[in-house]
mmCIF file of all heavy atoms in Angstrom:
data_model
loop_
_atom_site.group_PDB
_atom_site.id
_atom_site.type_symbol
_atom_site.label_atom_id
_atom_site.label_comp_id
_atom_site.label_asym_id
_atom_site.label_seq_id
_atom_site.Cartn_x
_atom_site.Cartn_y
_atom_site.Cartn_z
ATOM 1 N N GLY D 30 -9.441 2.360 19.914
ATOM 2 C CA GLY D 30 -9.504 1.184 19.173
ATOM 3 C C GLY D 30 -10.929 1.048 18.577
ATOM 4 O O GLY D 30 -11.029 0.575 17.404
ATOM 5 N N ARG D 31 -11.917 1.263 19.360
ATOM 6 C CA ARG D 31 -13.311 1.084 18.924
ATOM 7 C C ARG D 31 -13.703 2.065 17.816
ATOM 8 O O ARG D 31 -14.278 1.865 16.845
ATOM 9 C CB ARG D 31 -14.280 1.171 20.000
ATOM 10 C CG ARG D 31 -14.236 -0.096 21.012
ATOM 11 C CD ARG D 31 -15.442 -0.081 21.846
ATOM 12 N NE ARG D 31 -15.265 0.978 22.918
ATOM 13 C CZ ARG D 31 -14.653 0.871 24.047
ATOM 14 N NH1 ARG D 31 -14.139 -0.392 24.434
ATOM 15 N NH2 ARG D 31 -14.617 1.759 25.054
ATOM 16 N N ARG D 32 -13.155 3.427 18.014
ATOM 17 C CA ARG D 32 -13.464 4.329 17.032
ATOM 18 C C ARG D 32 -12.772 4.032 15.718
ATOM 19 O O ARG D 32 -13.382 4.257 14.573
ATOM 20 C CB ARG D 32 -12.913 5.720 17.493
ATOM 21 C CG ARG D 32 -13.751 6.269 18.637
ATOM 22 C CD ARG D 32 -13.371 7.823 18.838
ATOM 23 N NE ARG D 32 -12.113 7.991 19.299
ATOM 24 C CZ ARG D 32 -11.741 8.058 20.490
ATOM 25 N NH1 ARG D 32 -12.637 7.823 21.465
ATOM 26 N NH2 ARG D 32 -10.408 8.198 20.899
ATOM 27 N N ALA D 33 -11.523 3.545 15.800
ATOM 28 C CA ALA D 33 -10.830 3.083 14.622
ATOM 29 C C ALA D 33 -11.443 1.938 13.904
ATOM 30 O O ALA D 33 -11.553 1.792 12.704
ATOM 31 C CB ALA D 33 -9.372 2.728 14.878
ATOM 32 N N PHE D 34 -11.994 1.088 14.816
ATOM 33 C CA PHE D 34 -12.732 -0.108 14.199
ATOM 34 C C PHE D 34 -13.955 0.356 13.467
ATOM 35 O O PHE D 34 -14.260 -0.158 12.356
ATOM 36 C CB PHE D 34 -13.045 -1.022 15.385
ATOM 37 C CG PHE D 34 -13.560 -2.357 14.948
ATOM 38 C CD1 PHE D 34 -12.686 -3.248 14.353
ATOM 39 C CD2 PHE D 34 -14.904 -2.717 15.100
ATOM 40 C CE1 PHE D 34 -13.234 -4.450 13.859
ATOM 41 C CE2 PHE D 34 -15.416 -4.009 14.585
ATOM 42 C CZ PHE D 34 -14.542 -4.809 14.045
ATOM 43 N N ALA D 35 -14.714 1.251 14.105
ATOM 44 C CA ALA D 35 -15.883 1.713 13.372
ATOM 45 C C ALA D 35 -15.524 2.450 12.160
ATOM 46 O O ALA D 35 -16.215 2.174 11.011
ATOM 47 C CB ALA D 35 -16.623 2.801 14.438
ATOM 48 N N ARG D 36 -14.480 3.236 12.097
ATOM 49 C CA ARG D 36 -14.152 3.874 10.890
ATOM 50 C C ARG D 36 -13.844 2.745 9.689
ATOM 51 O O ARG D 36 -14.074 2.864 8.608
ATOM 52 C CB ARG D 36 -12.986 4.785 10.953
ATOM 53 C CG ARG D 36 -13.247 6.037 11.821
ATOM 54 C CD ARG D 36 -12.118 6.947 11.651
ATOM 55 N NE ARG D 36 -10.900 6.599 12.251
ATOM 56 C CZ ARG D 36 -10.535 6.640 13.487
ATOM 57 N NH1 ARG D 36 -11.387 7.308 14.414
ATOM 58 N NH2 ARG D 36 -9.352 6.225 13.969
ATOM 59 N N GLY D 37 -13.066 1.692 10.195
ATOM 60 C CA GLY D 37 -12.689 0.712 9.340
ATOM 61 C C GLY D 37 -13.848 -0.047 8.806
ATOM 62 O O GLY D 37 -13.877 -0.511 7.576
ATOM 63 N N ARG D 38 -14.938 -0.290 9.578
ATOM 64 C CA ARG D 38 -16.086 -0.871 9.141
ATOM 65 C C ARG D 38 -16.823 -0.148 7.954
ATOM 66 O O ARG D 38 -17.435 -0.680 7.093
ATOM 67 C CB ARG D 38 -17.040 -1.198 10.296
ATOM 68 C CG ARG D 38 -16.593 -2.277 11.289
ATOM 69 C CD ARG D 38 -17.498 -2.558 12.316
ATOM 70 N NE ARG D 38 -18.812 -3.187 11.764
ATOM 71 C CZ ARG D 38 -19.825 -3.510 12.421
ATOM 72 N NH1 ARG D 38 -19.866 -3.302 13.811
ATOM 73 N NH2 ARG D 38 -20.990 -3.958 11.941
ATOM 74 N N LEU D 39 -16.667 1.210 8.081
ATOM 75 C CA LEU D 39 -17.221 2.052 6.984
ATOM 76 C C LEU D 39 -16.498 1.993 5.735
ATOM 77 O O LEU D 39 -16.960 1.992 4.605
ATOM 78 C CB LEU D 39 -17.408 3.490 7.588
ATOM 79 C CG LEU D 39 -18.296 3.699 8.662
ATOM 80 C CD1 LEU D 39 -18.358 5.198 9.075
ATOM 81 C CD2 LEU D 39 -19.748 3.306 8.220
ATOM 82 N N GLY D 40 -15.083 2.034 5.921
ATOM 83 C CA GLY D 40 -14.159 2.060 4.766
ATOM 84 C C GLY D 40 -13.718 0.576 4.226
ATOM 85 O O GLY D 40 -13.269 0.571 3.180
ATOM 86 N N GLY D 41 -14.015 -0.482 4.917
ATOM 87 C CA GLY D 41 -13.596 -1.774 4.462
ATOM 88 C C GLY D 41 -14.358 -2.804 5.216
ATOM 89 O O GLY D 41 -15.361 -2.486 5.969
ATOM 90 N N THR D 42 -14.090 -4.137 5.234
ATOM 91 C CA THR D 42 -14.698 -5.034 5.853
ATOM 92 C C THR D 42 -14.381 -5.111 7.235
ATOM 93 O O THR D 42 -13.221 -4.722 7.691
ATOM 94 C CB THR D 42 -14.448 -6.411 5.164
ATOM 95 O OG1 THR D 42 -13.046 -6.749 5.469
ATOM 96 C CG2 THR D 42 -14.718 -6.452 3.651
ATOM 97 N N MET D 43 -15.179 -5.753 8.131
ATOM 98 C CA MET D 43 -14.928 -5.904 9.517
ATOM 99 C C MET D 43 -13.694 -6.819 9.838
ATOM 100 O O MET D 43 -12.811 -6.576 10.697
ATOM 101 C CB MET D 43 -16.079 -6.522 10.234
ATOM 102 C CG MET D 43 -16.029 -6.798 11.718
ATOM 103 S SD MET D 43 -17.267 -7.758 12.451
ATOM 104 C CE MET D 43 -18.614 -6.586 12.272
ATOM 105 N N ALA D 44 -13.569 -7.779 8.980
ATOM 106 C CA ALA D 44 -12.449 -8.804 9.045
ATOM 107 C C ALA D 44 -11.047 -8.096 8.624
ATOM 108 O O ALA D 44 -10.066 -8.248 9.447
ATOM 109 C CB ALA D 44 -12.501 -9.931 8.236
ATOM 110 N N GLU D 45 -11.085 -7.190 7.713
ATOM 111 C CA GLU D 45 -9.877 -6.575 7.316
ATOM 112 C C GLU D 45 -9.438 -5.453 8.326
ATOM 113 O O GLU D 45 -8.274 -5.390 8.621
ATOM 114 C CB GLU D 45 -10.114 -5.727 5.993
ATOM 115 C CG GLU D 45 -8.808 -5.438 5.140
ATOM 116 C CD GLU D 45 -8.170 -6.739 4.747
ATOM 117 O OE1 GLU D 45 -8.802 -7.667 4.539
ATOM 118 O OE2 GLU D 45 -6.850 -6.667 4.633
ATOM 119 N N GLU D 46 -10.356 -4.832 9.012
ATOM 120 C CA GLU D 46 -9.995 -3.932 10.043
ATOM 121 C C GLU D 46 -9.421 -4.783 11.313
ATOM 122 O O GLU D 46 -8.571 -4.286 11.972
ATOM 123 C CB GLU D 46 -11.181 -3.080 10.439
ATOM 124 C CG GLU D 46 -10.959 -2.132 11.693
ATOM 125 C CD GLU D 46 -9.834 -1.008 11.362
ATOM 126 O OE1 GLU D 46 -9.491 -0.952 10.166
ATOM 127 O OE2 GLU D 46 -9.328 -0.347 12.230
ATOM 128 N N ALA D 47 -10.012 -5.850 11.609
ATOM 129 C CA ALA D 47 -9.565 -6.717 12.588
ATOM 130 C C ALA D 47 -8.131 -7.191 12.414
ATOM 131 O O ALA D 47 -7.335 -7.241 13.228
ATOM 132 C CB ALA D 47 -10.484 -8.015 12.818
ATOM 133 N N LYS D 48 -7.781 -7.503 11.056
ATOM 134 C CA LYS D 48 -6.378 -7.870 10.837
ATOM 135 C C LYS D 48 -5.518 -6.682 11.060
ATOM 136 O O LYS D 48 -4.399 -6.870 11.585
ATOM 137 C CB LYS D 48 -6.375 -8.213 9.359
ATOM 138 C CG LYS D 48 -7.082 -9.412 8.843
ATOM 139 C CD LYS D 48 -6.971 -9.546 7.361
ATOM 140 C CE LYS D 48 -7.791 -10.720 6.892
ATOM 141 N NZ LYS D 48 -7.717 -10.950 5.463
ATOM 142 N N ARG D 49 -5.936 -5.402 10.767
ATOM 143 C CA ARG D 49 -5.150 -4.288 10.973
ATOM 144 C C ARG D 49 -4.778 -4.057 12.371
ATOM 145 O O ARG D 49 -3.719 -3.808 12.841
ATOM 146 C CB ARG D 49 -5.666 -3.018 10.288
ATOM 147 C CG ARG D 49 -4.891 -1.750 10.197
ATOM 148 C CD ARG D 49 -5.593 -0.605 9.981
ATOM 149 N NE ARG D 49 -6.583 -0.180 10.967
ATOM 150 C CZ ARG D 49 -6.249 0.503 12.096
ATOM 151 N NH1 ARG D 49 -4.868 0.812 12.204
ATOM 152 N NH2 ARG D 49 -7.164 0.756 12.948
ATOM 153 N N LEU D 50 -5.898 -4.178 13.204
ATOM 154 C CA LEU D 50 -5.642 -3.896 14.739
ATOM 155 C C LEU D 50 -4.705 -4.962 15.292
ATOM 156 O O LEU D 50 -3.803 -4.703 16.062
ATOM 157 C CB LEU D 50 -7.036 -4.150 15.341
ATOM 158 C CG LEU D 50 -8.017 -3.001 15.025
ATOM 159 C CD1 LEU D 50 -9.393 -3.393 15.620
ATOM 160 C CD2 LEU D 50 -7.573 -1.762 15.617
ATOM 161 N N ALA D 51 -4.788 -6.263 14.810
ATOM 162 C CA ALA D 51 -3.981 -7.273 15.341
ATOM 163 C C ALA D 51 -2.493 -7.117 14.969
ATOM 164 O O ALA D 51 -1.520 -7.133 15.638
ATOM 165 C CB ALA D 51 -4.334 -8.668 14.825
ATOM 166 N N ALA D 52 -2.397 -6.690 13.690
ATOM 167 C CA ALA D 52 -0.946 -6.426 13.119
ATOM 168 C C ALA D 52 -0.385 -5.209 13.815
ATOM 169 O O ALA D 52 0.875 -5.212 14.287
ATOM 170 C CB ALA D 52 -1.082 -6.131 11.549
ATOM 171 N N CYS D 53 -1.040 -4.089 13.961
ATOM 172 C CA CYS D 53 -0.550 -2.894 14.655
ATOM 173 C C CYS D 53 -0.096 -3.210 16.087
ATOM 174 O O CYS D 53 0.900 -2.856 16.588
ATOM 175 C CB CYS D 53 -1.530 -1.834 14.526
ATOM 176 S SG CYS D 53 -1.768 -1.162 12.918
ATOM 177 N N ALA D 54 -0.997 -3.983 16.817
ATOM 178 C CA ALA D 54 -0.695 -4.346 18.230
ATOM 179 C C ALA D 54 0.562 -5.168 18.296
ATOM 180 O O ALA D 54 1.394 -4.868 19.138
ATOM 181 C CB ALA D 54 -1.896 -5.183 18.788
ATOM 182 N N ALA D 55 0.819 -6.074 17.354
ATOM 183 C CA ALA D 55 2.005 -7.009 17.455
ATOM 184 C C ALA D 55 3.214 -6.169 17.131
ATOM 185 O O ALA D 55 4.215 -6.294 17.787
ATOM 186 C CB ALA D 55 1.878 -8.159 16.544
ATOM 187 N N VAL D 56 3.185 -5.321 16.196
ATOM 188 C CA VAL D 56 4.367 -4.584 15.722
ATOM 189 C C VAL D 56 4.786 -3.580 16.761
ATOM 190 O O VAL D 56 5.872 -3.358 17.164
ATOM 191 C CB VAL D 56 4.071 -3.830 14.345
ATOM 192 C CG1 VAL D 56 5.202 -2.779 14.055
ATOM 193 C CG2 VAL D 56 3.957 -4.737 13.261
ATOM 194 N N ASP D 57 3.732 -2.888 17.327
ATOM 195 C CA ASP D 57 3.977 -1.814 18.410
ATOM 196 C C ASP D 57 4.541 -2.588 19.730
ATOM 197 O O ASP D 57 5.365 -2.106 20.360
ATOM 198 C CB ASP D 57 2.649 -1.120 18.835
ATOM 199 C CG ASP D 57 2.308 -0.187 17.695
ATOM 200 O OD1 ASP D 57 3.174 0.138 16.801
ATOM 201 O OD2 ASP D 57 1.207 0.363 17.783
ATOM 202 N N LYS D 58 4.134 -3.846 19.939
ATOM 203 C CA LYS D 58 4.629 -4.380 21.134
ATOM 204 C C LYS D 58 5.973 -5.110 21.079
ATOM 205 O O LYS D 58 6.692 -5.119 22.051
ATOM 206 C CB LYS D 58 3.587 -5.503 21.489
ATOM 207 C CG LYS D 58 3.911 -6.420 22.757
ATOM 208 C CD LYS D 58 3.842 -5.618 24.053
ATOM 209 C CE LYS D 58 4.015 -6.396 25.300
ATOM 210 N NZ LYS D 58 4.119 -5.619 26.549
ATOM 211 N N HIS D 59 6.336 -5.656 19.939
ATOM 212 C CA HIS D 59 7.419 -6.597 19.890
ATOM 213 C C HIS D 59 8.595 -5.943 18.973
ATOM 214 O O HIS D 59 9.803 -6.562 19.101
ATOM 215 C CB HIS D 59 7.059 -7.881 19.203
ATOM 216 C CG HIS D 59 6.035 -8.638 20.029
ATOM 217 N ND1 HIS D 59 6.460 -9.409 21.208
ATOM 218 C CD2 HIS D 59 4.744 -8.783 20.017
ATOM 219 C CE1 HIS D 59 5.317 -9.942 21.798
ATOM 220 N NE2 HIS D 59 4.408 -9.549 21.116
ATOM 221 N N VAL D 60 8.401 -5.086 18.190
ATOM 222 C CA VAL D 60 9.478 -4.559 17.334
ATOM 223 C C VAL D 60 10.200 -3.417 18.030
ATOM 224 O O VAL D 60 9.580 -2.523 18.584
ATOM 225 C CB VAL D 60 8.860 -3.909 16.008
ATOM 226 C CG1 VAL D 60 9.952 -3.276 15.179
ATOM 227 C CG2 VAL D 60 8.334 -5.115 15.345
ATOM 228 N N GLN D 61 11.521 -3.519 18.051
ATOM 229 C CA GLN D 61 12.436 -2.496 18.657
ATOM 230 C C GLN D 61 13.523 -2.218 17.759
ATOM 231 O O GLN D 61 13.733 -2.900 16.784
ATOM 232 C CB GLN D 61 12.987 -3.146 20.005
ATOM 233 C CG GLN D 61 11.960 -3.549 21.063
ATOM 234 C CD GLN D 61 12.586 -4.214 22.277
ATOM 235 O OE1 GLN D 61 13.855 -4.141 22.489
ATOM 236 N NE2 GLN D 61 11.846 -4.838 23.132
ATOM 237 N N ASN D 62 14.268 -1.247 18.109
ATOM 238 C CA ASN D 62 15.390 -0.799 17.269
ATOM 239 C C ASN D 62 16.424 -1.844 17.200
ATOM 240 O O ASN D 62 16.665 -2.632 18.084
ATOM 241 C CB ASN D 62 15.993 0.513 17.834
ATOM 242 C CG ASN D 62 16.890 1.293 16.862
ATOM 243 O OD1 ASN D 62 16.785 1.160 15.731
ATOM 244 N ND2 ASN D 62 17.899 1.980 17.374
ATOM 245 N N ASN D 63 17.132 -1.794 15.957
ATOM 246 C CA ASN D 63 18.232 -2.659 15.757
ATOM 247 C C ASN D 63 17.876 -4.156 15.729
ATOM 248 O O ASN D 63 18.753 -5.045 16.222
ATOM 249 C CB ASN D 63 19.364 -2.402 16.715
ATOM 250 C CG ASN D 63 19.960 -1.139 16.695
ATOM 251 O OD1 ASN D 63 20.210 -0.535 15.498
ATOM 252 N ND2 ASN D 63 20.189 -0.374 17.733
ATOM 253 N N GLN D 64 16.726 -4.557 15.244
ATOM 254 C CA GLN D 64 16.268 -5.857 15.152
ATOM 255 C C GLN D 64 16.360 -6.401 13.723
ATOM 256 O O GLN D 64 16.234 -5.647 12.779
ATOM 257 C CB GLN D 64 14.823 -5.986 15.655
ATOM 258 C CG GLN D 64 14.718 -6.129 17.154
ATOM 259 C CD GLN D 64 13.282 -6.275 17.577
ATOM 260 O OE1 GLN D 64 12.325 -5.964 16.999
ATOM 261 N NE2 GLN D 64 13.227 -6.920 18.710
ATOM 262 N N VAL D 65 16.359 -7.680 13.617
ATOM 263 C CA VAL D 65 16.193 -8.470 12.367
ATOM 264 C C VAL D 65 14.948 -9.216 12.507
ATOM 265 O O VAL D 65 14.725 -9.902 13.375
ATOM 266 C CB VAL D 65 17.471 -9.455 12.085
ATOM 267 C CG1 VAL D 65 17.274 -10.119 10.770
ATOM 268 C CG2 VAL D 65 18.751 -8.673 12.142
ATOM 269 N N LEU D 66 13.964 -8.874 11.535
ATOM 270 C CA LEU D 66 12.661 -9.238 11.595
ATOM 271 C C LEU D 66 12.475 -10.392 10.314
ATOM 272 O O LEU D 66 12.797 -9.975 9.230
ATOM 273 C CB LEU D 66 11.614 -8.229 11.350
ATOM 274 C CG LEU D 66 11.825 -7.046 12.532
ATOM 275 C CD1 LEU D 66 10.652 -6.099 12.244
ATOM 276 C CD2 LEU D 66 11.646 -7.606 13.853
ATOM 277 N N GLY D 67 11.758 -11.331 10.664
ATOM 278 C CA GLY D 67 11.134 -12.182 9.668
ATOM 279 C C GLY D 67 9.755 -11.666 9.228
ATOM 280 O O GLY D 67 8.936 -11.493 10.185
ATOM 281 N N ILE D 68 9.506 -11.500 8.059
ATOM 282 C CA ILE D 68 8.259 -10.938 7.529
ATOM 283 C C ILE D 68 7.496 -12.059 6.808
ATOM 284 O O ILE D 68 7.986 -12.621 5.792
ATOM 285 C CB ILE D 68 8.533 -9.789 6.570
ATOM 286 C CG1 ILE D 68 9.433 -8.743 7.258
ATOM 287 C CG2 ILE D 68 7.280 -9.215 6.019
ATOM 288 C CD1 ILE D 68 8.675 -8.040 8.399
ATOM 289 N N GLY D 69 6.291 -12.256 7.367
ATOM 290 C CA GLY D 69 5.531 -13.494 6.844
ATOM 291 C C GLY D 69 4.771 -13.010 5.539
ATOM 292 O O GLY D 69 5.113 -12.010 4.855
ATOM 293 N N SER D 70 3.809 -13.878 5.129
ATOM 294 C CA SER D 70 3.070 -13.656 3.927
ATOM 295 C C SER D 70 1.674 -13.705 4.159
ATOM 296 O O SER D 70 1.138 -14.130 5.195
ATOM 297 C CB SER D 70 3.464 -14.822 2.938
ATOM 298 O OG SER D 70 4.901 -14.939 2.763
ATOM 299 N N GLY D 71 0.894 -13.183 3.211
ATOM 300 C CA GLY D 71 -0.571 -13.254 3.380
ATOM 301 C C GLY D 71 -1.191 -11.832 3.486
ATOM 302 O O GLY D 71 -0.526 -10.810 3.578
ATOM 303 N N SER D 72 -2.505 -11.782 3.631
ATOM 304 C CA SER D 72 -3.194 -10.517 3.718
ATOM 305 C C SER D 72 -2.949 -9.774 4.986
ATOM 306 O O SER D 72 -2.987 -8.438 5.027
ATOM 307 C CB SER D 72 -4.744 -10.691 3.461
ATOM 308 O OG SER D 72 -5.269 -11.632 4.526
ATOM 309 N N THR D 73 -2.954 -10.395 6.115
ATOM 310 C CA THR D 73 -2.632 -9.781 7.450
ATOM 311 C C THR D 73 -1.232 -9.058 7.482
ATOM 312 O O THR D 73 -1.218 -7.995 8.103
ATOM 313 C CB THR D 73 -2.901 -10.655 8.525
ATOM 314 O OG1 THR D 73 -4.102 -11.489 8.420
ATOM 315 C CG2 THR D 73 -2.998 -10.095 9.831
ATOM 316 N N ILE D 74 -0.337 -9.703 7.016
ATOM 317 C CA ILE D 74 1.065 -9.153 7.095
ATOM 318 C C ILE D 74 1.147 -7.889 6.260
ATOM 319 O O ILE D 74 2.139 -7.180 6.629
ATOM 320 C CB ILE D 74 2.025 -10.259 6.492
ATOM 321 C CG1 ILE D 74 3.438 -10.013 7.145
ATOM 322 C CG2 ILE D 74 2.183 -10.191 5.083
ATOM 323 C CD1 ILE D 74 3.437 -10.338 8.587
ATOM 324 N N VAL D 75 0.340 -7.611 5.342
ATOM 325 C CA VAL D 75 0.394 -6.408 4.610
ATOM 326 C C VAL D 75 0.205 -5.135 5.644
ATOM 327 O O VAL D 75 0.835 -4.158 5.632
ATOM 328 C CB VAL D 75 -0.769 -6.304 3.547
ATOM 329 C CG1 VAL D 75 -0.813 -4.905 2.970
ATOM 330 C CG2 VAL D 75 -0.505 -7.352 2.515
ATOM 331 N N HIS D 76 -0.730 -5.379 6.551
ATOM 332 C CA HIS D 76 -0.916 -4.333 7.654
ATOM 333 C C HIS D 76 0.258 -4.172 8.544
ATOM 334 O O HIS D 76 0.533 -3.071 8.957
ATOM 335 C CB HIS D 76 -2.277 -4.601 8.404
ATOM 336 C CG HIS D 76 -3.498 -4.647 7.668
ATOM 337 N ND1 HIS D 76 -3.985 -3.538 7.103
ATOM 338 C CD2 HIS D 76 -4.213 -5.768 7.163
ATOM 339 C CE1 HIS D 76 -5.101 -3.858 6.333
ATOM 340 N NE2 HIS D 76 -5.230 -5.251 6.461
ATOM 341 N N ALA D 77 0.882 -5.437 8.836
ATOM 342 C CA ALA D 77 2.055 -5.268 9.724
ATOM 343 C C ALA D 77 3.146 -4.530 9.078
ATOM 344 O O ALA D 77 3.936 -3.748 9.782
ATOM 345 C CB ALA D 77 2.470 -6.667 10.138
#
């Protein structure tokens, strides 16, 4: 995670990489097969 974060800081803003980390963590933890998902709006949801 820290390595990915470091790469993100080089390629984008710290906040944008933080959004990506949060989004990936949530999707990996809570999304399972055969689900119906509500998809939110905004810049963080793009990463999700």
Side-chain angles (χ1 to χ4, degrees):
R31 286 191 292 270
R32 288 193 296 271
F34 189 72
R36 290 194 298 271
R38 290 184 63 181
L39 294 175
T42 67
M43 181 186 295
E45 203 63 32
E46 180 62 14
K48 294 176 185 179
R49 189 190 67 81
L50 291 172
C53 290
V56 170
D57 287 352
K58 177 68 176 177
H59 296 279
V60 174
Q61 301 175 12
N62 194 27
N63 296 316
Q64 283 184 329
V65 181
L66 303 181
I68 302 298
S70 306
S72 58
T73 308
I74 206 68
V75 173
H76 299 287

